[in-house]
Amino acid sequence: MAVLIAAVTTGSSAYRCGIRGGDTLKSINGHEIVDFLDYRFYQLERDITLEYISDGETKTAFLKKAEYEEMGLEFETYLMDKEHSCRNKCIFCFIDQMPKGMRDTLYFKDDDSRLSFLFGNYITLTNLTQHEIDRIISMHISPVNVSVHTTNPELRCMMMNNRFAGESLGIMKKFAQAGIVLNCQLVICPGINDGEELKRSLTDLGEMGVNSIAVVPVGLTKHREGLYPLTPFTKETAEQTIDIVESFADNFLKKFDRRIAFAADELYIKAERSIPQPEYYEDYPCLENGVGLIALLKEEFEFALEDAQGDNTLVRNKTIACGESAAPYLSELCELLKTKYPLVNVNVRPIINYFFGTMINVSGLIVGEDLISQLKGTALGEEILIPNCMLKSYEAIFLDDVTVPQAEKELGVKITAVGNSGEALLNALVK
């Protein structure tokens, strides 16, 4: 396989050897280059023999450079080819539960091992080629984040609607034996992979020596026509799941000196239990799964407030708009704020998710339409603060394509997206 070179940085070692945009890269030091990971790994050497095609002729270039110095080749896409899409039809897939008419990119299901390594995405391992398996082991690409859901092969095939899904559990074992760090995710569907099946999965993953296990509840929208019938979590089933996870975590702590397994914040909220203290989450290995987010936010906010000088004369009147699940915890922080900023008034407004359905209560899935309809005509103060997870990455646009300027016009007040940290929240409140 060969990869088209889009451009070459002027003055780089590759440029000095006569390589130009439009040429095709074949190999580096005899290693075939398939994509970005191959390129990044094999270009680290100081002495490089580069084989490429120019004007239909195969040529060889010899490069000398500093270790880790870039050769200067640029490619059309970051990965050097297309993202790998998911081949499964999981019974709990959130993308299948989205309404029609949203932007096309929201319907793309990625299942790309390279994105797992580069950006922390979770993958099922069901579409890995032997080349990719061998490469992960030989390059020691780590960590790999795996959507496991169950270690029962037959059940995994059923849950993923993929008759080969059980086989990829063997790949995990190979990775673990090769010293690859594995972070695992179990999306729990009541009556399917909870209870005894959850115990089996936690047992198997513990014996495999994985780095972390995030146990998260299935998210169910109102758009499930024709999909597999799933049961939402209740207070009772959330409590049962937490009890199992915490019991295994206690055993893991005794055996490995780490808890390894953690239940998502959502489960504690559903069970009406207190969120564990920050130290419970150790080094927060499962934040991207909503595990420990509330504890970390509270810890960071308290540290930042302790360091702040405070101001008895500062007057502010602001609104925080967020998902229903986060609202009580943000209200607590805003009350704490008054110990140093007594004249800063903050109204926390939980937004009910009518767009996806009222069972969805996280901030990241609030759309502009719901924000506007529930806040319009109410007292909002000088500014609305929203968590930046409500918006498309690096763009001021909500999931339903309503833009921040459009929402500001409708509500007649400035909207500011706030970073995920407690310090960022404090700074936004007293700015």
Side-chain angles (χ1 to χ4, degrees), residues 143 241 423-424:
T241 300
E423 182 180 12

Side-chain angles (χ1 to χ4, degrees), residues 89 96 223-229:
K89 185 73 173 175
D96 291 340
H223 306 283
R224 291 194 53 81
E225 298 83 2
L227 298 178
Y228 189 96

Side-chain angles (χ1 to χ4, degrees), residues 216-236:
V216 302
V218 61
L220 303 177
T221 80
K222 66 180 182 181
H223 306 283
R224 291 194 53 81
E225 298 83 2
L227 298 178
Y228 189 96
L230 293 175
T231 302
F233 268 90
T234 63
K235 180 178 184 293
E236 181 182 10

Side-chain angles (χ1 to χ4, degrees), residues 281-296:
Y281 295 100
E282 300 169 351
D283 59 349
Y284 295 98
C286 308
L287 281 175
E288 63 276 12
N289 283 289
V291 176
L293 280 174
I294 292 173
L296 179 60

